[in-house]
Amino acid sequence: MRTFACQACGQAVYFENWCCNQCGATLGFVPDALLLAALEEDADGFWTPLPASSALKRPGLLARFLSRRPEPPTTAIEGRRYRKCGNYKQHNVCNWMVPTESGADLCLACRPNRTIPNLGRPGNPQKWYRVERGKRRLFYGLLRLGLPVRSREEDPEHGLAFDFLAAQDAPPDQPVLTGHADGLITLNLAEADSVKRERIRVDLDETYRTLVGHFRHEIGHYYWDLLIRDGGRLADFRALFGDEREDYGEALEAHYRDGPPTDWQDRYITTYASSHPWENWAETWAHYLHIVDTLETAAHFGLEVEWRLPDGSCRSADPEFDPYTIADFAPIIENWLPLTFAVNSLNRSMGQQDLYPFVLPQAAIDRLAYIHRVVREAAARA
């Protein structure tokens, strides 16, 4: 994700911030400009983005840092008025804005919510906040990629919906399973509890399990329906990922009973990707979103890596490009591999787990390149 700054004072701020910690300005994310904007309330209770302050042009380390990737232009939204998302005003779980001309109460990222947690249960409001924080990062990436993002109200046949459910609120004989079915993504609220999520990760022998990872995986199933099944790409998909007509239930049962094939590391991005072609796609899709988002962050911080090997050769990463819009996939993977090796080494120096605990075989890289091509074609059509 890109970096952001308060237009009122120039302070660096996070994507999740509600207000500037330096000057106190109210902040809200404006999805039509992909900008975290400092806002001013008018007499009617609406909010208008502030123009960039001269503070952004002042000398100093912060200004030099921000100048690496200046804020998106605000001219397109200057003078426009917005409302806070209903989940911003009522529950403090969202910081996105809604154009005043829109008849919707909720923002673009909250409108697909079909079921939210029971907020009367202790701890559920905090868990829901964590869930929404991860979902907003997902939506940022989808918007940056130029992919269609529609709720079921907007598109009853192909729209997207979310159910955030806790086991306590489900019938005893119906366990809450995180998954996707025909555009409906269900997330077990227990995944927002870091202790429970880590226990599940260990029990399933996974190397990585996060909320944003769940969202990126499950949305992959949704876009498989839109871009592959309905996009006339089944033949190409089967050549790279396998034949999805294989019985899904039997394949998962065999995976959990027998484990992955012994050579899975030579062919798949994760063990779960080896279970069925649909999961191969969804796992690879999630990693594609991980990669482009992290590379954008690295570029905005001006991160460069130069790694000299004993034979005199040099591996380097300097992602001075926009991974969300670049046509060629090659620079993405060429920068990703040395960057993650460097960051993993830094984490190990602190006794932490690898940031990216995966090895990418050539077959997985080929699938990532295919997803990049499919996404760029879909964005061009949109």
Side-chain angles (χ1 to χ4, degrees):
M1 178 173 289
R2 59 161 290 108
T3 55
F4 298 99
C6 172
Q7 292 81 31
C9 69
Q11 173 71 15
V13 291
Y14 288 106
F15 176 64
E16 295 83 5
N17 279 140
W18 313 75
C19 68
C20 176
N21 293 329
Q22 177 165 284
C23 72
T26 296
L27 301 176
F29 187 75
V30 182
D32 40 328
L34 292 172
L35 173 69
L36 185 67
L39 304 161
E40 184 175 43
E41 189 174 17
D42 63 23
D44 298 322
F46 297 117
W47 296 85
T48 303
L50 294 174
S53 164
S54 59
L56 294 175
K57 304 180 180 67
R58 67 190 178 194
L61 181 62
L62 177 60
R64 290 198 299 274
F65 158 68
L66 293 171
S67 68
R68 292 181 183 273
R69 290 291 186 279
E71 288 287 289
T74 59
T75 52
I77 58 172
E78 283 181 7
R80 292 194 64 187
R81 301 199 298 174
Y82 295 86
R83 300 190 310 273
K84 290 183 177 181
C85 172
N87 286 333
Y88 191 155
K89 296 182 292 185
Q90 299 172 30
H91 304 296
N92 290 327
V93 297
C94 179
N95 66 343
W96 283 32
M97 308 300 292
V98 182
T100 54
E101 62 268 22
S102 169
D105 177 58
L106 299 177
C107 72
L108 181 149
C110 288
R111 283 200 291 272
N113 288 357
R114 190 178 80 161
T115 306
I116 66 170
N118 178 356
L119 301 183
R121 266 186 206 282
N124 277 7
Q126 293 80 6
K127 292 175 185 175
W128 185 35
Y129 168 76
R130 297 179 202 127
V131 166
E132 291 294 340
R133 184 173 59 187
K135 179 160 68 72
R136 290 197 303 276
R137 284 192 170 257
L138 168 71
F139 271 71
Y140 171 89
L142 300 179
L143 292 173
R144 285 284 280 113
L145 288 170
L147 291 169
V149 181
R150 297 185 294 269
S151 69
R152 285 196 168 178
E153 287 187 1
E154 298 164 310
D155 185 349
E157 185 177 358
H158 300 294
L160 184 64
F162 292 92
D163 281 351
F164 303 132
L165 304 174
Q168 302 95 318
D169 298 317
D173 59 339
Q174 295 182 17
V176 178
L177 301 177
T178 296
H180 167 269
D182 297 322
L184 173 63
I185 293 175
T186 300
L187 183 75
N188 188 329
L189 198 61
E191 295 288 347
D193 184 318
S194 58
V195 175
K196 292 181 180 179
R197 188 174 65 250
E198 176 65 10
R199 186 180 300 123
I200 297 170
R201 186 193 70 79
V202 173
D203 289 345
L204 295 179
D205 195 26
E206 297 175 338
T207 55
Y208 173 91
R209 192 178 185 92
T210 67
L211 282 172
V212 73
H214 279 309
F215 279 121
R216 288 171 174 168
H217 175 100
E218 301 304 339
I219 206 74
H221 289 298
Y222 171 71
Y223 282 108
W224 186 89
D225 291 349
L226 291 183
L227 304 179
I228 303 300
R229 184 194 65 192
D230 301 339
R233 296 186 173 95
L234 282 173
D236 290 343
F237 169 83
R238 289 167 184 164
L240 275 173
F241 293 87
D243 193 335
E244 83 290 349
R245 291 170 292 189
E246 174 189 356
D247 188 278
Y248 182 70
E250 290 181 4
L252 286 191
E253 182 180 350
H255 172 75
Y256 287 118
R257 182 186 64 242
D258 305 328
T262 55
D263 65 342
W264 73 267
Q265 288 180 306
D266 298 328
R267 297 190 286 145
Y268 298 100
I269 206 162
T270 65
T271 58
Y272 193 50
S274 69
S275 64
H276 188 274
W278 280 337
E279 299 304 342
N280 193 4
W281 164 272
E283 286 287 88
T284 308
W285 177 279
H287 280 251
Y288 174 72
L289 296 188
H290 293 333
I291 289 169
V292 294
D293 193 53
T294 305
L295 281 176
E296 185 185 39
T297 305
H300 272 258
F301 278 95
L303 293 183
E304 298 179 30
V305 170
E306 187 175 287
W307 173 31
R308 297 202 171 273
L309 300 176
D311 63 1
S313 63
C314 181
R315 297 288 299 278
S316 62
D318 185 12
E320 282 291 316
F321 56 87
D322 186 347
Y324 281 105
T325 60
I326 191 172
D328 186 9
F329 180 74
I332 292 177
I333 200 66
E334 289 167 1
N335 281 269
W336 180 246
L337 296 177
L339 178 67
T340 51
F341 186 84
V343 178
N344 286 348
S345 298
L346 289 172
N347 274 26
R348 294 185 184 196
S349 295
M350 289 294 294
Q352 298 291 329
Q353 294 182 343
D354 288 351
L355 176 76
Y356 188 74
F358 304 95
V359 176
L360 297 178
Q362 186 59 49
I365 293 173
D366 292 342
R367 295 181 191 116
L368 287 165
Y370 174 74
I371 287 177
H372 182 73
R373 186 166 67 253
V374 169
V375 167
R376 297 315 324 139
E377 290 173 0
R381 285 198 305 272

